[in-house]
């Protein structure tokens, strides 16, 4: 124990000490410096004299050793759940429960966690235990019951397995034996009731019903025509109000209501990079349903913007400008409501090529809304990797805490504003990049739990935002919701075709607002690797400068006709693109292979030097051009890259010696990477990071590449 007078020592409260290995588990060790209670000299010696002012200047410190589990086998991780020091490592249990499904199924985990229940003793026979045995047994039971209570509270959907819900049945049986009548047992019973009630509602909704909904908006046989059909001309079909017939506040509030309801239902586990990145693979159509719902809503909003602006080719430029201005005001109102999801969707549509190129329409937009549009667009600027949106979201999240601190004693507590509703694509991108940068397993078949902690930090932030969204007090307005869903949705091809009908291609587009271009995830990540120097701990969910990319729900590819833009025109893809009827495609970012414990840890993008980048590798075979992405560093030689690529393609690694690595160059050219070359320095830096594996001549074996 140390003592200092006058001021606190200028030492960090937490210092890294290194690593320790114990029974096959790896711990990160740090020293925590904590201030102890102030002691006067009299108190220290047992005297009774009154403390002097000088005595109060003496402070005592103690240095404690903190161990945090970094990697272990599954059995050890489960043991840590029950017997670990949760005061020293408070994040272990929530991080484990939020991410365990990436390495073990729920039923398998319960088999490890739940102790076997002894059979009841025969009548008249009493089984006696020693005091030590009874104390140890009860302590473990209490720990298991506590973990199950947290599990049922924070991740109830993990136990949803209709129709029997067998995993929940095992938990109910155990709690009925170990803690009958406890709060945990009541939670399990209530959860089963909720599941059964949910199944009953779903069955009722699937039964045939007659629905007299809003009048159907008339559609013409020509998808590019906006002329009314004969029934409308004769007045035989009543025309429902259009979405823009409602006020700015009403539309923005209903968009916010839909966004917050969908965001509140998002299961954080579905956002993990290893889960979300597999959504487009065969057999994964039902994966991540709650995240897909937010994607569909995002695309619906962008579709409404394009449909309302482009769906009436007969409008004059000033009339179309009025629609642009109204959408800009709706976007600003979404910003006021702290709804960053619909804000991003509206901006994506307004910045899409079919709308962006309408120079006459943009030329008729008033100066004030045009200025508002430019300011809002800076929030999601690609130039600074969405840094502005991160800073703003961080400030919005900090508003609640600052207001609580500003409450003066005796005054009524000020109510913090609701939300915010975040743009989920930011978190999805961070989690995909994190999943790419860190391996799942370390040498010795140890689960890399340090990676799971980093993922949990982001998931915990999502959960915190979900709780804050519960403070919104918005009511549904059915006519607006009906108009939203009845709004004509245009495909990318239809949008661009209508745009060219409204304003045929011209030599230039001087009146369109200048918005930053998009760049692909691979290029952005490579750029981040070359310019970011900060340390890994600086990238946390609360750090507004944490890295991301522009891959996001509802961010479709550029217009299929953008290549036809005339020379001299502004960028065809000025910003986030318009809506898509498909889920957005992002590069497949699988995990790197196992690393030895003694090797340097794979850094995250925020930590990279200029000597790392993401590359894509395919196999030259008859199974199509299927790419897998890996993180390439300046230390990787060709054999290592080939083995990792084959692992991603589910090809037996012993065949690695039978393959050669080629870099795909523009103009149908290839660059052969020698077998023992350093790939990072042998590759052409100016060419895209696309590579191909091809069997060497003379090798023969049957190759079967799994689509997953």
């Amino acid at each position: 124990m140390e003592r200092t007078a006058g001021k606190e020592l200028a030492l960090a409260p937490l210092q890294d000490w290194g690593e320790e290995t114990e029974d096959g588990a790896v711990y990160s060790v740090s020293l925590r410096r904590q201030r102890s209670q102030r002691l006067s000299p009299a108190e220290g010696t047992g005297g009774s004299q009154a403390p002097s002012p000088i005595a109060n200047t003496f402070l005592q410190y103690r240095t404690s050793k903190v161990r945090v589990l970094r990697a272990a086998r599954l059995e050890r991780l489960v043991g840590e759940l029950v017997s670990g020091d949760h005061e020293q490592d408070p994040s272990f249990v929530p991080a484990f429960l939020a991410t365990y499904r990436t390495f073990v199924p729920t039923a398998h985990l319960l088999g490890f966690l739940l102790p076997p229940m002894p059979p009841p003793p025969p009548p008249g026979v009493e089984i006696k235990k020693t005091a030590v045995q009874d104390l140890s047994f009860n302590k473990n039971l209490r720990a298991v019951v506590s973990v199950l209570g947290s599990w049922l509270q924070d991740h109830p959907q993990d136990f949803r397995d209709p129709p029997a819900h067998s995993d929940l049945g095992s938990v109910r049986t155990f709690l009925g034996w170990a803690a009958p009548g406890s709060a945990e047992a009541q939670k399990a019973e209530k959860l089963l009731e909720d599941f059964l009630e949910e199944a009953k509602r779903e069955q009722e909704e699937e039964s045939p019903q007659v629905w007299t909904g809003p009048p159907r908006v008339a559609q013409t046989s020509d998808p590019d025509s906006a002329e009314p059909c004969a029934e409308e001309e004769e007045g035989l079909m009543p025309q429902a109000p259009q979405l823009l017939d409602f006020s700015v506040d009403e539309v923005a509030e209903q968009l916010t209501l839909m966004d917050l309801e969908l965001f509140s239902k998002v299961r954080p586990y579905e956002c993990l990079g290893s889960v979300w990145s597999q959504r487009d693979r065969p057999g994964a159509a039902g994966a991540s349903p709650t995240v897909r719902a937010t994607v569909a809503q995002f695309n619906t909003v962008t579709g409404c913007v394009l449909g309302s602006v482009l769906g009436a080719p007969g409008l004059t430029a000033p009339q179309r400008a009025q629609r642009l201005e109204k959408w800009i005001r709706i976007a600003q109102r979404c910003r006021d409501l702290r709804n960053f999801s619909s804000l991003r969707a509206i901006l994506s549509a307004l910045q899409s090529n079919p709308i962006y190129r309408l120079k006459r329409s943009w030329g008729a937009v008033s100066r004030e809304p045009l200025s508002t549009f430019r300011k809002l667009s800076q929030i999601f600027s690609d130039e600074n990797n969405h840094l502005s949106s991160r800073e703003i979201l961080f400030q919005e999240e900090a508003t609640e805490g600052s207001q609580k601190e500003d409450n003066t004693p005796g005054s009524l507590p000020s109510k913090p504003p609701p939300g915010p509703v975040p743009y989920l694509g930011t978190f999805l991108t961070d989690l995909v990049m994190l999943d790419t940068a860190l391996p799942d397993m370390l040498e010795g078949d140890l689960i890399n739990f340090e990676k799971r902690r980093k993922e949990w930090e982001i998931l915990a932030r999502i959960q915190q935002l979900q709780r804050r969204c519960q403070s919104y007090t918005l009511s549904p307005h059915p006519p607006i919701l009906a108009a939203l869903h009845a709004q004509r949705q245009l495909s990318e091809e239809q949008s661009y075709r209508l745009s060219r009908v409204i304003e045929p291609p011209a030599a230039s587009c001087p009146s369109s607002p200048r918005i930053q271009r998009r760049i692909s995830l691979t290029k952005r990540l490579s750029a981040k690797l070359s310019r970011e120097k900060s340390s890994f701990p600086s990238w946390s969910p609360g750090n507004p400068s944490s890295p991301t990319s522009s891959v996001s729900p509802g961010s479709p590819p550029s217009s299929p006709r953008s290549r036809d833009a005339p020379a001299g025109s502004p960028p065809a893809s000025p910003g986030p693109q318009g809506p898509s009827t498909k889920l957005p495609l992002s590069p497949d970012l699988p995990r790197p292979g196992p690393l030895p414990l003694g090797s340097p840890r794979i850094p995250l993008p925020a930590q990279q030097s200029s000597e790392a980048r993401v590359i894509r590798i395919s196999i030259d075979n008859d199974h199509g051009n299927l790419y897998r992405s890996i993180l390439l560093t300046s230390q990787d030689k060709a054999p290592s890259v080939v083995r990792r690529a084959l692992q991603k393609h589910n090809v037996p690694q012993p065949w690695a010696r039978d393959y050669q690595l080629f870099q795909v160059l523009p103009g149908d050219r290839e660059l052969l990477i020698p077998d023992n070359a350093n790939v990072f320095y042998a590759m052409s830096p100016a060419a895209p990071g696309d590579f191909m594996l091809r069997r060497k001549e003379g090798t023969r074996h049957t190759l079967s590449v799994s689509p997953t």
Side-chain angles (χ1 to χ4, degrees):
M1 187 172 295
E2 304 174 18
R3 182 184 298 181
T4 180
K7 60 180 180 179
E8 299 182 11
L9 294 179
L11 293 178
L14 187 66
Q15 296 180 342
D16 291 333
W17 186 257
E19 291 182 351
E20 290 183 357
T21 302
E22 179 182 293
D23 297 333
V26 181
Y27 291 85
S28 296
V29 182
S30 57
L31 299 180
R32 188 184 301 274
R33 188 175 178 81
Q34 298 174 323
R35 189 174 67 181
S36 302
Q37 185 178 3
R38 295 170 183 253
L39 295 176
S40 66
E43 292 172 324
T45 59
S48 59
Q49 65 266 30
S52 64
I54 300 179
N56 289 331
T57 63
F58 286 86
L59 304 176
Q60 287 190 337
Y61 293 86
R62 62 185 178 89
T63 301
S64 58
K65 177 182 176 181
V66 178
R67 295 204 318 170
V68 175
L69 187 62
R70 179 189 166 211
R73 294 181 181 271
L74 177 60
E75 296 85 348
R76 185 59 179 267
L77 292 176
V78 176
E80 192 77 9
L81 276 178
V82 177
S83 59
D85 187 349
H86 299 160
E87 291 185 0
Q88 189 177 75
D89 187 7
S91 67
F92 178 83
V93 173
F96 184 96
L97 294 179
T99 62
Y100 76 89
R101 293 180 64 185
T102 59
F103 51 84
V104 61
T106 300
H108 194 184
L109 175 58
L110 287 173
F112 278 99
L113 182 63
L114 300 182
M117 293 180 291
V125 178
E126 181 180 357
I127 300 178
K128 295 183 179 180
K129 297 180 183 178
T130 65
V132 174
Q133 287 176 333
D134 189 64
L135 179 62
S136 175
F137 184 73
N138 288 334
K139 181 179 179 181
N140 286 337
L141 278 186
R142 288 195 298 269
V144 173
V145 169
S146 176
V147 170
L148 290 176
S150 300
W151 197 353
L152 291 167
Q153 177 68 32
D154 298 334
H155 308 280
Q157 291 296 321
D158 289 0
F159 301 96
R160 189 180 188 277
D161 184 21
H165 306 289
S166 56
D167 293 336
L168 182 57
S170 300
V171 173
R172 291 173 57 244
T173 302
F174 171 78
L175 292 176
W177 168 75
S182 64
E184 292 81 5
Q186 294 175 10
K187 287 179 185 177
E189 297 296 335
K190 179 64 167 57
L191 185 58
L192 179 60
E193 294 176 3
D194 293 342
F195 286 161
L196 296 178
E197 183 65 26
E198 181 182 351
K200 182 179 178 180
R201 288 196 305 268
E202 291 178 353
Q203 186 176 5
E204 292 176 352
E205 292 174 357
E206 292 175 359
S207 61
Q209 295 181 355
V210 178
W211 178 67
T212 57
R216 180 178 60 87
V217 177
Q219 297 288 344
T220 62
S221 57
D222 184 0
D224 297 328
S225 172
E227 297 299 326
C229 64
E231 289 85 350
E232 286 182 311
E233 290 180 345
E234 298 174 4
L236 299 179
M237 179 180 293
Q239 187 172 5
Q242 302 297 308
L243 184 61
L244 293 186
D245 293 338
F246 299 94
S247 69
V248 169
D249 289 348
E250 289 176 324
V251 175
E253 288 175 2
Q254 293 305 298
L255 292 178
T256 302
L257 177 62
M258 289 185 287
D259 287 335
L260 72 91
E261 288 180 345
L262 290 172
F263 176 67
S264 299
K265 295 177 182 178
V266 167
R267 295 182 63 188
Y269 166 77
E270 296 178 6
C271 300
L272 287 172
S274 59
V275 178
W276 177 240
S277 62
Q278 300 183 32
R279 64 195 180 278
D280 295 315
R281 296 184 178 181
S288 304
T290 61
V291 178
R292 287 178 185 268
T294 64
V295 173
Q297 171 64 12
F298 188 100
N299 288 339
T300 297
V301 175
T302 54
C304 286
V305 178
L306 276 110
S308 62
V309 174
L310 302 174
L315 295 178
T316 63
Q319 290 173 327
R320 203 174 310 279
Q322 291 178 359
R323 298 194 176 193
L324 293 173
E325 291 178 3
K326 187 155 189 177
W327 278 115
I328 293 172
R329 291 196 297 270
I330 293 173
Q332 178 60 55
R333 181 56 182 153
C334 287
R335 172 65 184 90
D336 297 338
L337 291 169
R338 315 210 305 171
N339 177 8
F340 291 91
S341 183
S342 282
L343 170 61
R344 176 76 160 94
I346 295 172
L347 294 178
S348 296
L350 294 177
Q351 295 169 0
S352 66
N353 190 56
I355 292 181
Y356 170 79
R357 61 174 298 278
L358 302 177
K359 64 175 183 178
R360 289 193 294 271
S361 299
W362 283 108
V365 174
S366 303
R367 179 178 301 177
E368 182 178 350
L370 195 59
S371 175
T372 300
F373 175 61
R374 290 195 177 101
K375 291 178 181 178
L376 293 175
S377 298
Q378 290 302 312
I379 296 177
F380 299 101
S381 171
D382 289 324
E383 185 178 73
N384 60 8
N385 197 24
H386 294 188
L387 178 59
S388 298
S389 66
R390 295 174 177 278
E391 291 177 340
I392 293 174
L393 184 60
F394 180 74
Q395 294 169 1
E396 297 284 346
E397 292 181 75
T399 301
E400 180 177 353
S402 62
Q403 289 192 352
K404 288 181 178 179
E405 295 176 358
D406 292 342
N407 290 331
T408 57
S411 63
L412 293 176
S414 59
K415 186 178 180 180
V421 181
Y423 170 55
L424 189 60
T426 302
F427 297 109
L428 295 177
T429 301
D430 287 350
L431 288 166
V432 168
M433 294 176 69
L434 178 58
D435 185 54
T436 303
L438 295 176
D440 289 337
M441 306 295 292
L442 300 178
E443 186 180 23
D445 291 332
L446 301 184
I447 297 172
N448 185 4
F449 196 72
E450 183 180 15
K451 172 179 179 176
R452 305 308 167 193
R453 291 181 188 273
K454 299 302 178 184
E455 291 177 326
W456 170 75
E457 291 175 357
I458 301 177
L459 298 184
R461 189 178 175 197
I462 293 176
Q463 290 178 313
Q464 183 182 33
L465 288 170
Q466 288 176 320
R467 289 190 292 269
R468 292 185 179 181
C469 283
Q470 297 175 2
S471 58
Y472 278 99
T473 56
L474 299 173
S475 302
H477 192 356
I480 299 180
L481 299 178
L484 177 70
H485 293 295
Q487 175 64 54
R488 181 184 179 189
Q489 298 283 320
L490 302 174
S491 67
E492 295 176 37
E493 185 71 23
Q494 290 172 344
S495 298
Y496 194 79
R497 193 181 305 163
L498 282 171
S499 177
R500 292 170 65 91
V501 170
I502 294 169
E503 292 190 23
S508 62
C509 198
S511 301
S512 299
R514 301 291 176 175
I515 309 297
Q516 298 293 336
R517 281 189 172 186
R518 291 175 57 96
I519 56 177
S520 66
L521 171 61
T522 302
K523 292 182 179 179
R524 173 176 288 103
L525 181 53
S526 299
K528 294 290 293 180
L529 303 184
S530 65
R531 69 171 181 264
E532 294 290 349
K533 303 285 186 179
S534 59
S535 63
F536 178 70
S538 67
W539 182 34
S540 64
N543 185 355
S545 61
S546 58
T548 188
S549 72
S550 65
V551 173
S552 58
S555 299
S558 58
S559 172
R561 295 295 187 85
S562 59
R563 61 183 179 272
D564 298 333
S569 63
S573 301
Q577 302 302 308
S580 173
T581 56
K582 301 179 181 179
L583 287 171
L585 299 177
S586 60
D588 173 48
L589 298 175
R591 279 79 63 204
L595 291 182
L597 289 174
S599 67
R601 304 177 191 176
I602 293 185
L604 283 179
Q607 190 186 8
Q608 305 286 352
S609 66
S610 60
E611 299 176 346
R613 65 178 299 181
V614 172
I615 63 173
R616 304 193 310 161
I617 303 180
S618 66
I619 296 182
D620 186 12
N621 53 37
D622 298 330
H623 297 273
N625 197 22
L626 186 64
Y627 279 97
R628 292 288 184 262
S629 300
I630 64 174
L631 185 66
L632 178 70
T633 70
S634 60
Q635 305 300 317
D636 291 329
K637 293 191 176 182
S640 172
V641 174
V642 171
R643 284 194 299 270
R644 288 167 56 194
L646 291 177
Q647 181 185 14
K648 300 308 173 185
H649 284 275
N650 294 329
V651 176
Q653 296 186 48
W655 293 348
R657 62 182 180 275
D658 297 336
Y659 284 87
Q660 285 184 311
L661 183 65
F662 293 84
Q663 183 181 11
V664 180
L665 303 178
D668 295 329
R669 296 178 299 140
E670 294 178 345
L671 173 64
L672 172 63
I673 305 297
D675 288 343
N676 293 320
N678 184 305
V679 179
F680 185 87
Y681 294 109
M683 64 183 293
S684 172
D690 290 343
F691 288 77
M692 177 180 296
L693 290 177
R694 183 178 295 128
R695 284 203 302 261
K696 299 177 181 177
E697 295 183 2
T699 59
R700 292 290 185 270
H701 48 70
T702 302
L703 179 62
S704 177
V705 179
S706 170
T708 59

